[in-house]
């Protein structure tokens, strides 16, 4: 597989970097300040967002889609439940849950704090976003008090995708009292290839 990852540090790109390292795939990295605004990235992703992976000359965006594809194409490493299995349904469940029920709230706060131009920002939703993230995170916490990983009782790419969302909440101070999620992050951070921000 020929892979070039257009990436940006410990942003959502780090899900893809970690998956590539975990899968043992050699890849080219393109990373520089303002990369998302470059003409090259706008061709690959019309919204000018990172990460984008060019895999065998085809561009793929959305970090969860990239990670899932990479895991599917390295079956020897066994990083993902098999297509059609119950485990794969749980992979889809938990990645959708993390992206829509958790991450979207934090992204709304982020765009209104520093992504959009000042005159387009709306600050009214910050508290509600934090409350909605906590609501979903508490549910995930209850699950992870009883199991170490999300699918098939083993580390999979599902944990890379969902773990990033949990770590964003930690960095925003939203995991207080959620010991299942804190212990889950500790398990992920112990893995040598973990590319997430640990500050
Ligand atoms: N849902 C996308 C989110 C991509 C995204 O918003 N990336 C941010 C960095 S974390 C970005 O490129 N921001 C630049 C911008 O919004 O202009 C994914 O998971 O890949």
């Amino acid at each position: 597989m020929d892979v070039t990852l257009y990436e940006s540090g410990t942003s959502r790109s780090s899900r893809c970097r970690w998956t590539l390292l975990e899968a043992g795939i050699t890849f080219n990295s393109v990373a520089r300040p303002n990369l998302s605004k470059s003409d090259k990235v706008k061709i690959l992703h019309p919204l000018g967002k990172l990460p984008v992976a060019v895999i065998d000359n085809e561009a793929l965006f959305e970090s969860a889609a990239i990670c899932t594809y990479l895991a599917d194409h390295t079956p020897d490493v066994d990083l993902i439940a098999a297509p059609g299995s119950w485990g794969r349904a749980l992979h889809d469940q938990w990645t959708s849950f993390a992206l829509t029920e958790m991450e979207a709230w934090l992204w709304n706060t982020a765009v209104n704090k520093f992504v959009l131009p000042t005159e387009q920002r709306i600050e009214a939703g910050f508290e509600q976003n934090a409350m909605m993230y906590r609501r979903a995170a508490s549910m995930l916490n209850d699950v992870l008090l009883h199991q170490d990983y999300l699918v098939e009782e083993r580390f999979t790419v599902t944990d890379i995708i969902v773990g990033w969302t949990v770590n964003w909440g930690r960095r925003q101070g939203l995991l207080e009292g959620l010991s299942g999620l804190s212990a889950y992050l500790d398990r992920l951070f112990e893995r040598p290839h973990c590319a997430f921000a640990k500050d």
Side-chain angles (χ1 to χ4, degrees):
M1 207 189 300
D2 182 62
V3 181
T4 299
L5 180 64
Y6 292 78
E7 59 178 328
S8 170
T10 56
S11 74
R12 280 164 272 211
S13 310
S14 63
R15 285 181 174 132
C16 304
R17 167 169 281 276
W18 186 4
T19 303
L20 285 159
L21 295 171
E22 202 79 48
I25 300 169
T26 307
F27 64 102
N28 305 305
S29 164
V30 179
R32 57 172 181 271
N34 297 320
L35 178 62
S36 65
K37 308 283 174 247
S38 67
D39 291 343
K40 177 70 182 174
V41 167
K42 282 188 188 149
I43 291 167
L44 299 172
H45 190 324
L47 290 183
K49 283 177 170 263
L50 299 170
V52 177
V54 176
I55 303 173
D56 296 333
N57 291 319
E58 300 279 2
L60 189 63
F61 52 78
E62 284 298 330
S63 56
I66 295 166
C67 294
T68 299
Y69 181 91
L70 294 170
D72 270 339
H73 286 77
T74 46
D76 293 353
V77 188
D78 202 14
L79 266 182
I80 191 166
S85 67
W86 187 250
R88 186 55 164 265
L90 292 178
H91 165 83
D92 293 340
Q93 170 187 281
W94 287 123
T95 56
S96 297
F97 183 83
L99 299 178
T100 64
E101 304 292 342
M102 297 174 73
E103 191 162 312
W105 300 108
L106 298 189
W107 180 238
N108 183 274
T109 294
V111 294
N112 286 295
K113 268 191 179 163
F114 57 83
V115 178
L116 288 173
T118 314
E119 66 279 8
Q120 290 176 15
R121 293 180 197 168
I122 301 169
E123 299 186 354
F126 293 171
E127 266 187 46
Q128 189 181 57
N129 289 339
M131 185 263 287
M132 293 301 282
Y133 178 91
R134 279 280 302 188
R135 187 166 167 263
S138 300
M139 195 202 101
L140 187 63
N141 181 68
D142 290 345
V143 171
L144 287 165
L145 284 173
H146 303 290
Q147 60 193 63
D148 284 353
Y149 299 104
L150 289 170
V151 177
E152 295 183 340
E153 297 178 16
R154 65 191 178 93
F155 171 81
T156 65
V157 77
T158 319
D159 300 299
I160 295 180
I161 296 167
V162 176
W164 194 89
T165 311
V166 174
N167 195 37
W168 195 6
R170 178 189 65 80
R171 300 181 76 216
Q172 299 303 309
L174 294 174
L175 297 193
E176 200 179 320
L178 303 181
S179 60
L181 293 185
S182 300
Y184 178 60
L185 282 181
D186 287 344
R187 281 190 288 283
L188 298 185
F189 287 164
E190 273 171 16
R191 296 190 69 89
H193 293 309
C194 178
F196 293 171
K198 294 177 183 159
D199 58 326

